[in-house]
Amino acid sequence: MWVWQLGQSMSMDLPTLLRRQHGVIATRQARMAGMSIEAIRWRVTDGQWTRIAPGIFYAYSGPMTWMARANALVLRLGEGGALTGDSAAYLHGVLTAPPAIISGAVTGRQVRRLTGTRVVRRRAMEVVHRRGLPVTSAATTVLDSCAEYSPSQWREIVHLLARWVHSPAVTAHQVLDALGRRGRYAHRALIMTALEPIIVGVESVLEYEAITGVVLAHGLPKPTLQARAGGPGELLRRDAEWTEFGVILECDGVLFHTGASAQDDRRRDRRAARAGRVTLRAGHVEIVYGRCELAVDLFLTLRSRGFRGALRPCGPRCPARVPGVA
């Protein structure tokens, strides 16, 4: 990785430099490529180059691309700067579309932002390079993105964690390590709680709520998550399965259980029935608002198949009680 703006002295011809930086160049870079101040001024006066900010120019015709704008902000930030937030997430490959506002941060000094960007100061950052640009590390970016949400938006935070951890960009352990290096952090308890089931296979907020709010909160045994359900070459999975008791729980989200997905669900249920296993299905309403009733259904199903544990109320007002038992 070669970066002019960090002060390396390696020479590079102007066309190659412009190509690498998507048409954006700083005065110091142009001088190191052999241009005089007069030549730079002439290109601006002649309309070949557009001045973006003091000492930063765009050398291509037409509107600036997102990558050009990102390179311009990196040049503006200088050494110790990096792209952050959704801008970093896009360059890590987790977001599929670039954000309209490009965000960055710099350590130890004040930097005036460019139009269409947001810049903050930080004491320190863990920086890596993606697509030739400095960005906050994947684990740092996850925590930064989660910090944008309020505590009441915990579902969005869990969605975000699952999206990152199930991508190639970062592991749950790396996020936990980064969290351990942070000082005060508003969502520490939520992230530590959420990452445990994510590590072992929870793939949606609905599954997370089912495992934590229905199963574990009511003292039911832990199931196997994302157990394979298809034959050779198939990718069918069961959300949660108590193999010992032949009981399966499937979490039906509206977006993920229609059309071909619904056909896969029915095929899984039929195959489970062949082997003498029973499948319980629950949607968002049952899992979020009827979790205690669902816990009773799960408990009685497990008990009918040999489970000898007890059902535990999730709180003082929990209505989960075994029928006929005081």
Side-chain angles (χ1 to χ4, degrees):
M1 167 62 199
W2 177 92
V3 184
W4 274 78
Q5 61 265 26
L6 300 187
Q8 296 189 14
S9 59
M10 183 185 298
S11 62
M12 180 173 291
D13 64 274
L14 188 64
T16 301
L17 177 60
L18 290 173
R19 188 166 54 252
R20 288 198 176 193
Q21 297 185 170
H22 297 262
V24 177
I25 190 168
T27 299
R28 180 163 57 93
Q29 294 177 316
R31 294 295 306 277
M32 294 178 71
M35 291 188 68
S36 65
I37 292 295
E38 290 73 20
I40 295 172
R41 288 173 179 167
W42 179 82
R43 280 173 170 76
V44 174
T45 303
D46 192 52
Q48 296 182 38
W49 287 13
T50 302
R51 182 177 177 272
I52 301 170
I56 304 175
F57 307 93
Y58 185 54
Y60 290 170
S61 59
M64 292 179 65
T65 64
W66 190 91
M67 285 297 295
R69 294 173 55 216
N71 273 272
L73 179 57
V74 167
L75 286 172
R76 182 70 155 182
L77 296 175
E79 187 166 2
L83 301 181
T84 62
D86 285 350
S87 302
Y90 172 66
L91 292 171
H92 277 292
V94 175
L95 290 184
T96 57
I101 303 297
I102 301 177
S103 56
V106 67
T107 57
R109 54 197 167 82
Q110 186 103 18
V111 173
R112 292 186 64 183
R113 69 178 185 87
L114 301 177
T115 301
T117 69
R118 180 174 60 239
V119 177
V120 298
R121 283 191 297 173
R122 293 190 178 178
R123 293 182 179 179
M125 285 186 293
E126 186 177 274
V127 177
V128 298
H129 286 84
R130 294 291 180 269
R131 296 176 66 180
L133 293 171
V135 300
T136 49
S137 69
T140 299
T141 306
V142 175
L143 297 179
D144 290 346
S145 298
C146 288
E148 296 292 322
Y149 293 96
S150 67
S152 64
Q153 295 175 298
W154 65 270
R155 291 176 177 82
E156 286 81 357
I157 294 172
V158 175
H159 266 309
L160 184 65
L161 286 171
R163 184 195 312 157
W164 274 90
V165 171
H166 289 294
S167 79
V170 71
T171 67
H173 297 291
Q174 288 171 332
V175 177
L176 286 174
D177 287 344
L179 184 62
R181 294 191 296 271
R182 288 227 173 178
R184 296 179 60 185
Y185 188 77
H187 304 309
R188 183 181 302 276
L190 171 61
I191 289 175
M192 293 180 68
T193 301
L195 281 180
E196 180 180 359
I198 288 173
I199 288 172
V200 295
V202 170
E203 293 184 344
S204 72
V205 167
L206 200 60
E207 293 174 37
Y208 172 76
E209 291 180 338
I211 299 305
T212 58
V214 177
V215 176
L216 301 182
H218 292 90
L220 300 177
K222 289 185 179 180
T224 299
L225 303 179
Q226 296 302 312
R228 186 169 179 172
E234 294 183 305
L235 299 178
L236 300 180
R237 301 275 179 178
R238 297 188 179 99
D239 292 338
E241 180 175 4
W242 291 265
T243 308
E244 178 184 356
F245 306 108
V247 175
I248 298 163
L249 174 64
E250 294 286 4
C251 305
D252 290 349
V254 173
L255 295 178
F256 301 102
H257 291 84
T258 58
S261 181
Q263 294 176 19
D264 290 341
D265 291 343
R266 291 191 289 270
R267 194 187 327 163
R268 276 199 301 268
D269 293 351
R270 292 195 302 270
R271 289 183 177 177
R274 288 184 203 171
R277 295 190 291 272
V278 61
T279 301
L280 281 72
R281 290 191 170 274
H284 184 271
V285 174
E286 295 98 326
I287 291 172
V288 176
Y289 297 101
R291 59 184 62 186
C292 299
E293 179 182 346
L294 178 57
V296 172
D297 291 340
L298 271 171
F299 170 76
L300 293 175
T301 305
L302 289 167
R303 190 172 71 170
S304 73
R305 289 171 167 257
F307 176 59
R308 292 296 175 259
L311 180 66
R312 183 182 68 216
C314 63
R317 298 185 179 182
C318 176
R321 299 287 187 275
V322 180
V325 177

